[in-house]
Amino acid sequence: MIPPSFDYEAPTSVKEAVAILGKNPEAKILAGGQSLIALMKLRLASPEVLVDINKIEGLGYIKEDDGWLKIGAMTRESDLDASDLVRKKYPLLADTPRVIADPLVRNLSTLGGNLAHADPANDHPATMLAYGAELVASGPKGERTIPVEDFFTGPFETSLAQDELLTEIRIPAPDGKSGGAYVKMERKVGDFATAAVAAQVKLGNNGVVEQVGIGLTNVGLTPIKATAAEESLRGKEADQAAISEAAQLASEAAEPEEDPRGSVDYKRALVKTLTHRAIKAAVGRAQGGKS
Amino acid sequence: MSNHHISVTVNGAVQEADVDARLLLVHFIREDLNLTGTHIGCDTTHCGACTVLIDGKAIKSCTYFAVQADGAEVSTVEGLAQNGDLHPIQEGFREMHGLQCGFCTPGMMISSVALLEQNPNPTEDEIRWGISGNLCRCTGYVNIVKAVQYASEKMQE
Ligand SMILES: Cc1cc2nc3c(=O)[nH]c(=O)nc-3n(C[C@H](O)[C@H](O)[C@H](O)COP(=O)(O)OP(=O)(O)OC[C@H]3O[C@@H](n4cnc5c(N)ncnc54)[C@H](O)[C@@H]3O)c2cc1C
Ligand code: FES
Ligand code: FES
């Protein structure tokens, strides 16, 4: 399948990319291309102009700075997977690329693309909801930050303007006894989630859950922040009963639809089980001193 | 529709061409360069039959535009053998019966070469993980894993 014709531009700066996008309402950004090129082959997307941002220097990095983990939007899944810093201090983020697609796709697909694509089946959105991440968008008027809770506005829709680039993702650097985990059920390697759950916790010295974030993948039109589940766990010791209650509330927050991956009831039950496992793993990692 | 002059080093030889922006890398390799060892299986980024190396990284060339490869080094299965001597991975596939119909084999070998470059002595699990983007409908993978193990040993000799 050959995609429809388009004009190809490969700007070398964010400013230039923004200018091209501003001039062409039918322009689209090409990052890893692992979602967009498939859509173009199927004629589900027919951009008049493709703005390849792979030639812009300096959009791929992973660094700690000012209390945040800052990740450039063009950071590939394979770079996240290979990062010692991520593996040591951000286990929830380390879990996520390992269950996305396959090694070939991960060599190209980007963190920015995974978020900007806003497919409810994408895995990073739930992870970023659990972390309480901030996203940096660059447009004609400069930069603005968007809390991740405000980013996903619908299936394949975000609060980015047409002439804005997602340039950076910021995760609050964990302190104290923090830990997280991403638990995904997939039918086979490379498949999108039947359901998946991201959990991030911080424990106080007395073992009580001080902070908690829970995100759900592919059980609604957008990724879901399971706020009732978070509230029920906050301030409590993460024992069996407290985790079970949070898992129950998370499954009630899910809005799955029946599809070849399963029925509504099955997916709800799955969210409950996966939430239980994710919180347990997150707490275990927090206790292990591994943030 | 834009047309672009590209210069791509393919298996060590510089190739210059004028390409439509929408030309996929796999079609450039197969139809413009006549290197038909790189296969098209699914055309939907699932099977890995079209795997090539771009600057040493294994990617699916059905999901990459030729124009994006401007200035890059591309390696295909045709570049594996040197002066008539098979690459250890090719020898491994032959010795260990790593193929039946052979359709997946070029992609499997390219992914394996990338894996062995990163991890010269992978465990069986790491091999299975490394080739998890490449589908084989014939072998059941057991002999493919053995072929990669053969190459790993041979390359460390
Ligand atoms: C076989 C296969 C299996 C997969 N499995 C999974 C999976 O299990 N889980 C998962 O999460 N994903 C999966 N994916 C999707 C893959 O990870 C995508 O690559 C990813 O969602 C999009 O990233 P990309 O860099 O390829 O973006 P592209 O395809 O280049 O772009 C996607 C969209 O985002 C926009 N965009 C990209 N970057 C930016 C930016 N910086 N600013 C603004 N807009 C931008 C583009 O304009 C486009 O609309 C799979 C893909 C394949 C082919
Ligand atoms: S033909 Fe490219 S992945 Fe199948
Ligand atoms: S040998 Fe036939 S598909 Fe692998």
Side-chain angles (χ1 to χ4, degrees):
Chain A
M1 287 173 291
I2 295 166
S5 296
F6 55 87
D7 284 335
Y8 173 83
E9 303 265 7
T12 53
S13 70
V14 170
K15 215 174 152 193
E16 215 185 313
V18 167
I20 301 167
L21 289 167
K23 260 187 282 168
N24 303 281
E26 297 298 319
K28 252 193 174 306
I29 292 167
L30 177 71
Q34 301 302 287
S35 293
L36 181 56
I37 295 177
L39 291 182
M40 290 172 67
K41 288 183 179 183
L42 296 167
R43 272 37 178 194
L44 293 173
S46 324
E48 281 171 14
V49 181
L50 214 48
V51 185
D52 182 354
I53 58 172
N54 286 275
K55 305 278 192 275
I56 303 177
E57 297 272 336
L59 284 182
Y61 53 85
I62 305 171
K63 61 176 184 207
E64 277 186 321
D65 176 33
D66 218 9
W68 298 91
L69 179 71
K70 298 184 174 175
I71 309 171
M74 287 301 287
T75 302
R76 314 279 168 180
E77 301 292 355
S78 53
D79 298 327
L80 287 176
D81 192 22
S83 162
D84 283 336
L85 173 62
V86 171
R87 198 167 311 137
K88 281 202 199 101
K89 284 188 68 179
Y90 300 86
L92 164 58
L93 180 60
D95 283 350
T96 313
R98 293 186 72 79
V99 292
I100 290 180
D102 59 58
L104 307 167
V105 171
R106 286 197 291 269
N107 275 338
L108 287 174
S109 55
T110 64
L111 177 57
N114 198 280
L115 297 169
H117 191 48
D119 184 336
N122 279 151
D123 289 296
H124 281 295
T127 290
M128 295 306 156
L129 283 171
Y131 272 126
E134 275 187 14
L135 309 180
V136 180
S138 299
K141 292 189 200 118
E143 284 188 356
R144 66 181 177 120
T145 52
I146 308 170
V148 68
E149 294 96 301
D150 300 339
F151 188 71
F152 303 104
T153 51
F156 303 96
E157 277 177 20
T158 70
S159 51
L160 285 176
Q162 196 272 336
D163 57 356
E164 275 184 322
L165 251 79
L166 176 58
T167 44
E168 189 174 86
I169 295 88
R170 295 181 181 162
I171 294 174
D175 55 352
K177 283 190 184 175
S178 300
Y182 191 70
V183 184
K184 170 172 170 174
M185 176 69 90
E186 55 186 355
R187 295 174 303 179
K188 62 173 185 58
V189 168
D191 193 19
F192 288 99
T194 305
V197 178
Q200 175 72 18
V201 299
K202 181 183 172 192
L203 305 178
N205 287 332
N206 49 3
V208 159
V209 176
E210 276 182 2
Q211 289 173 16
V212 49
I214 299 171
L216 314 180
T217 299
N218 214 12
V219 286
L221 295 177
T222 60
I224 292 171
K225 187 168 160 62
T227 42
E230 292 171 354
E231 266 163 42
S232 86
L233 198 57
R234 204 172 292 127
K236 281 194 199 138
E237 210 174 302
D239 56 17
Q240 194 70 10
I243 296 178
S244 293
E245 190 191 338
Q248 175 61 32
L249 289 168
S251 83
E252 286 167 20
E255 297 166 359
E257 280 179 27
E258 177 163 347
D259 67 13
R261 291 189 180 87
S263 66
V264 170
D265 287 349
Y266 169 66
K267 290 184 182 183
R268 247 187 231 292
L270 198 52
V271 170
K272 188 169 166 182
T273 304
L274 298 180
T275 305
H276 203 286
R277 287 183 194 167
I279 296 173
K280 218 171 150 193
V283 168
R285 284 168 167 178
Q287 285 167 340
K290 227 179 114 179
S291 43
Chain B
M1 164 161 88
S2 56
N3 196 275
H4 301 264
H5 187 76
I6 61 169
S7 170
V8 190
T9 305
V10 181
N11 302 329
V14 177
Q15 304 282 353
E16 306 257 347
D18 292 309
V19 298
D20 273 352
R22 67 173 177 163
L23 182 71
L24 295 164
L25 180 61
V26 71
H27 293 300
F28 175 67
I29 290 169
R30 289 178 54 84
E31 287 151 33
D32 294 14
L33 304 182
N34 284 319
L35 296 171
T36 53
T38 302
H39 291 165
I40 300 176
C42 65
D43 202 8
T44 57
T45 334
H46 284 95
C47 74
C50 63
T51 306
V52 301
L53 300 183
I54 294 254
D55 293 331
K57 283 193 169 183
I59 63 139
K60 294 174 176 175
S61 63
C62 72
T63 313
Y64 199 79
F65 293 112
V67 60
Q68 293 183 271
D70 185 25
E73 293 215 14
V74 175
S75 314
T76 71
V77 66
E78 288 88 349
L80 288 178
Q82 294 293 325
N83 308 318
D85 291 332
L86 291 185
H87 186 284
I89 193 72
Q90 293 173 304
E91 231 182 88
F93 270 76
R94 189 180 62 188
E95 293 303 315
M96 307 314 285
H97 305 283
L99 61 145
Q100 289 176 24
C101 79
F103 197 84
C104 69
T105 314
M108 282 289 180
M109 293 199 296
I110 295 291
S111 280
S112 304
V113 166
L115 169 70
L116 292 173
E117 181 68 34
Q118 274 189 350
N119 181 357
N121 193 16
T123 62
E124 175 174 348
D125 270 0
E126 287 167 342
I127 294 172
R128 288 183 179 271
W129 180 252
I131 59 170
S132 59
N134 297 81
L135 299 183
C136 176
R137 299 280 88 161
C138 304
T139 65
Y141 302 97
V142 173
N143 286 354
I144 294 178
V145 172
K146 288 186 188 161
V148 180
Q149 286 166 333
Y150 177 101
S152 161
E153 280 166 31
K154 177 102 194 215
M155 287 164 80
Q156 289 181 86
E157 270 169 17

